[in-house]
Amino acid sequence: MTNQSDHEVQQIEIGEETVVRYRSLSGFAGIISKILTYLIPLTGLVYLTGLSLVFKIRFPSQVYLPLFLGFSMVLVFLLLPFSKKTMKDSVPWYDWILIAGTAIATVYPAVNYKQIFLAGTFGVSDIEMVLGIVLIIAILEAVRRTTGLAMVVVVIFFLVHARFAYYFPELLMGPNSSMGQVLRFVYLSDQGAFGFILAIGATIILAFLLFGNLLSMENGGQKFMDVAASLVGKTKGGIAKVSVVSSALVGSISGSPTANVMITGSFTIPAMKKSGYSPVYAGAVEATASTGGLIMPPVMGAVAFVAGDITGLGYAAIVIAAIIPGILYFTAVFMQIHFRSCRHDLSTHIEGVAIPKILPSLKNAWTLFVPFAVLVALLLIVQYSPERSALIAAATILIVRFIVEKIPLKQFIKAIADTSKNLMEVIPIIASAGIIVGSVSLTGLGINISNVILTMAGGSKILLIIFSALASYILGMGVSGIASYIVLATLVAPAMIAAGIPALAAHMFLIYFGASMFFTPPYAPAAYAAGTLANASPIKVGLQAMRLGIVAYLVPVVICYNTDLLLVGNVFDILISVITAVIGIAILAAALEGFLLTKLNAIQRVLLGVGGILAFIPNLTASIIGIIIIAFVVASNIMQYKKKDKKVEF
């Protein structure tokens, strides 16, 4: 993905074809778009650093959040066309109407926040009702342009329910709220579009996107790729493993599986295809690996910070709980790649492409790892707030990269512009998630949905898990990782906790199933992005990604019964559970790919699959039975291996 900020155009190269996503503007529209690309992050920095206080100017959140949303959405309507067919190098009249409406609807609460507060719960004027409707329409259109129709449909449902909840069936019934009350909640209160979800986007996500873009300056992403290549590039199936390692490094910061696919996949997918992997498999590896960033500590796409606040457990507890599941996830992907490469005797790396050596690649990338280490230390040891930690780490990048590497100033300017474009893609959907939360707060639908899930489960934990998983998939469609988690934490978590599932396990369940939505068909946005790059069927890519990402389905179920894998419990039990889980997931990978030391027959694959799952379960009896089954099949495969004398390359 190449961002050309000088001309406000984004191009995605797919083979020999170039797809233009952003308008290329000049004149008045070009000036406005350029100003906004720098104004959005700079306004955020002024707010986060308290710089306005130096000039004795108050800049409260009630002013900042509406302006931040307004700036981001105006940039959407300037740069993103109504459709591919209407791509022009100028802004049409209807987009200027949307821009004007957005500007007025967001400036109004910023200017009049004191009067709005004094008006109380039910005070809504006619002009405020009109502006509220205008803003909702603008947000829905911005979401459609950036993400698609799925989230638009979900938001409309919740708005209709908020207005007409009294007419819904008993289990979904709510109060008879007027249009004014609905608009008060979703437009003027701190529980709607300008609520805590937008505050997360305007602070934490802003800070981490800036950190990530500064880290990526001057081929920073390529340096991560070189480190990954030096570590695993010469192993069997090396280029696919490079995709896994690099995506784990980059994806945790980006917070967007789809964006990560476009960033790292533009290199790894063609490289995998040249190494002998099918287009479907190459796309699936990238989609699965990129999604893993959402569940891999320490950043987890900023979800860890939000989960720490919502659960009240704190950031450190969430990150610690995510360590083993994250390792298991990438182990499953890594081992499946390895066994497939062995079975099909795929080449170690691309012919004609040199694999960098470890020490030179680490030396070349030290300016990236130092800021990352500073970030982790500030978060886990000093325990600064996420946004403060990210800003200090970003300042560290500027120090080491501009002084040591002598990166030109234009790279910093480009990083600022890229941050605006990243925010432009995610902020509308975060605001729409705020509308959902506001609607739910008004109607109490969260309690109702929890009651529906509990009623349908009928006291059965496994049915509760199934219904919660289905709800997670449906409600997570079209939502960014962080917005998906917030919606699910509001609507689904209460039912799981009421059924006796520990709060930590319930919220980790939602994080995992929310992440799996990105590669689970039919929606599967990461699979669609990877399929586009690989010239393969997105559905087939998604189905293959489900096999590679099988841990994303296993971990949430297991932790609802036993929290050992979350590092909660007796130390000895945790140790045994972690060891058997690693063995189990490696063996399950062999069963899925049909290869261990040699090719496995159907019976061996079934037995290894059963044994792997039993070993994965953190229960001593199940693990022992699983290990016995595994030992039996491994012994038989060793005998086959000795007979064939086929060497397995690691």
Side-chain angles (χ1 to χ4, degrees), residues 113-170:
Y113 72 94
K114 291 182 180 179
Q115 294 92 315
I116 291 171
F117 175 78
L118 292 174
T121 306
F122 301 104
V124 183
S125 66
D126 291 341
I127 186 65
E128 288 170 346
M129 289 185 65
V130 172
L131 292 178
I133 293 171
V134 168
L135 184 64
I136 289 171
I137 292 172
I139 289 174
L140 292 178
E141 174 57 16
V143 169
R144 188 195 66 80
R145 294 191 189 191
T146 55
T147 310
L149 274 174
M151 185 59 171
V152 174
V153 174
V154 172
V155 174
I156 290 174
F157 167 80
F158 281 98
L159 285 171
V160 170
H161 180 267
R163 175 64 183 86
F164 301 105
Y166 187 76
Y167 297 104
F168 274 68
E170 185 176 351

Side-chain angles (χ1 to χ4, degrees), residues 418-476:
D418 288 347
T419 300
S420 288
K421 291 174 183 174
N422 296 149
L423 286 167
M424 177 191 77
E425 299 278 357
V426 73
I427 292 303
I429 201 167
I430 286 177
S432 67
I435 292 175
I436 292 175
V437 172
S439 300
V440 170
S441 299
L442 178 63
T443 62
L445 182 61
I447 297 173
N448 290 343
I449 288 180
S450 293
N451 290 334
V452 169
I453 294 174
L454 288 170
T455 301
M456 292 174 64
S460 168
K461 183 177 282 190
I462 189 62
L463 285 178
L464 175 74
I465 290 170
I466 292 172
F467 292 137
S468 297
L470 289 173
S472 299
Y473 182 82
I474 294 170
L475 295 172

Side-chain angles (χ1 to χ4, degrees), residues 56 80 89 203 304 366 373 427 430 450 455 458 470 485 538 549 619 627:
K56 297 182 179 180
L80 286 176
D89 291 339
T203 56
W366 77 266
I427 292 303
I430 286 177
S450 293
T455 301
L470 289 173
Y485 166 71
N619 175 279
I627 294 297

Side-chain angles (χ1 to χ4, degrees), residues 115 147 241 244 316 318 399 415 488 507 552 567 617-618 636:
Q115 294 92 315
T147 310
K241 294 175 182 176
V244 175
I318 301 298
I399 293 171
L488 296 175
H507 285 268
L567 300 181
I617 297 173
S636 67

